[in-house]
Amino acid sequence: MDKFKIVTPCHFGVESVLKREITDLGYDIVQVEDGRVTFEGDALAVCRANVFLRTAERVMIQVGRVKATTYDQLFEAVKALDWQKFIPVDGKFWVKKAGTVKSKLFSPSDIQRIVKKAIVEKLKMEYHESWFAEDGAEYPIRVFFYKDEAIIALDTSGESLHKRGYRKNTSKAPISETLAAALIMLTPWNKDRILVDPFCGCGTFPIEAAMIAANIAPGMNREFTAENWTNFIDKKLWYKAVNEAYDIMNEDVDTDIQGYDIDPEMVEFARKNAQLAGVDHLIHFQARPVSKLSHSKKYGFIITNPPYGERLEEKKALVPLYTEIGKRYKALDSWSAFIITSYEDAEKDMGIKATKNRKIYNGMIKTYFYQFMGPKPPKKGKVNEK
């Protein structure tokens, strides 16, 4: 079976998590760049990556990596690629998106036009056709230029992988499913530890945590564009990937995951979303303000996305809010807290210095993932020495 270079974009700052996911699937990493991890795999790897990866935004097959500082160079370089290996004579193909950073070719629309024209010319030569109906399966193409070098890739996913299919009810500023999963996986939390999100909104953090605990593959209940690429990805491989996902799922896992929000409507949204994700039995949702945050057990985790106060009038409410978060966290014996926010005075208002923080881009917003590490629980069966 042919091997491909498979490109998986992700949020800036979580590349290490995606790299670990790909390695755990059994594939060799080719390259790690800002916001992107490339690995080598066959057609089954394309299917498994789409079904299993929690932190990738999409899965793409690299057709080529070319250098170009003029549109003529771009045209010739794209035309030289082996498009006939991927796009059949009836395939519908277009450049869905072109991005360019620090490159001489800076017009996305011109890049899209030139790349499409070059592919048409190549396929004319290969198929001995002068015109293409493009009435078959869809083959969307993405182009990423950085410092005059472009990755030309076929998008196998279609809709972004953050669209798991369960989030029908959303809050004003929800965190994406892929970013929520990545942030959880950046912490030491596991299914045997308590997890509380006191600002759960539509439930993304608790739901993603429950899916991780139950080993539910995020893409097992959605469709992908490349399912129709039967010219080089056998339909049976998609069934194989999904069957693998069903085999390893454990919906009866014992776990303690809780989501609170001050808004009862948000709590109801979260419950409905959890039902759609098939994990509502693993999560306890409750309408509760952060001032009522407490827990009798030790060594738990807070993982949350509190309000950022992006508008000026909202910022006034942040000082008492983050002061309260700090107060409630300090009252929790031996807990750890992980908070993503763009609010730069979070540590000051909480009255606690973070163990460390990591810069993360939540969409276009620069945020910080503050990590307040509590003590590790004693190992089971360990007896204290006198």
Side-chain angles (χ1 to χ4, degrees), residues 99-141:
T100 174
V101 177
K102 297 180 181 177
S103 299
K104 290 183 176 64
L105 301 183
F106 57 83
S107 168
S109 59
D110 286 333
I111 292 169
Q112 289 171 293
R113 178 175 54 81
I114 294 297
V115 170
K116 166 78 177 189
K117 184 179 177 182
I119 299 170
V120 169
E121 291 304 311
K122 177 58 176 271
L123 295 183
K124 278 182 180 179
M125 291 167 51
E126 294 295 330
Y127 294 131
H128 307 290
E129 298 280 355
S130 60
W131 182 80
F132 298 101
E134 296 194 47
D135 54 1
E138 296 184 346
Y139 295 78
I141 297 151

Side-chain angles (χ1 to χ4, degrees), residues 2-42:
D2 289 343
K3 289 285 185 79
F4 312 112
K5 283 185 178 177
I6 301 171
V7 183
T8 52
C10 62
H11 283 271
F12 284 95
V14 302
E15 297 86 357
S16 62
V17 183
L18 177 53
K19 179 184 175 184
R20 186 170 78 235
E21 277 200 280
I22 293 166
T23 302
D24 287 347
L25 282 179
Y27 301 112
D28 294 329
I29 303 296
V30 173
Q31 193 171 9
V32 179
E33 303 163 277
D34 286 345
R36 184 165 56 239
V37 179
T38 301
F39 69 98
E40 190 173 71
D42 55 16

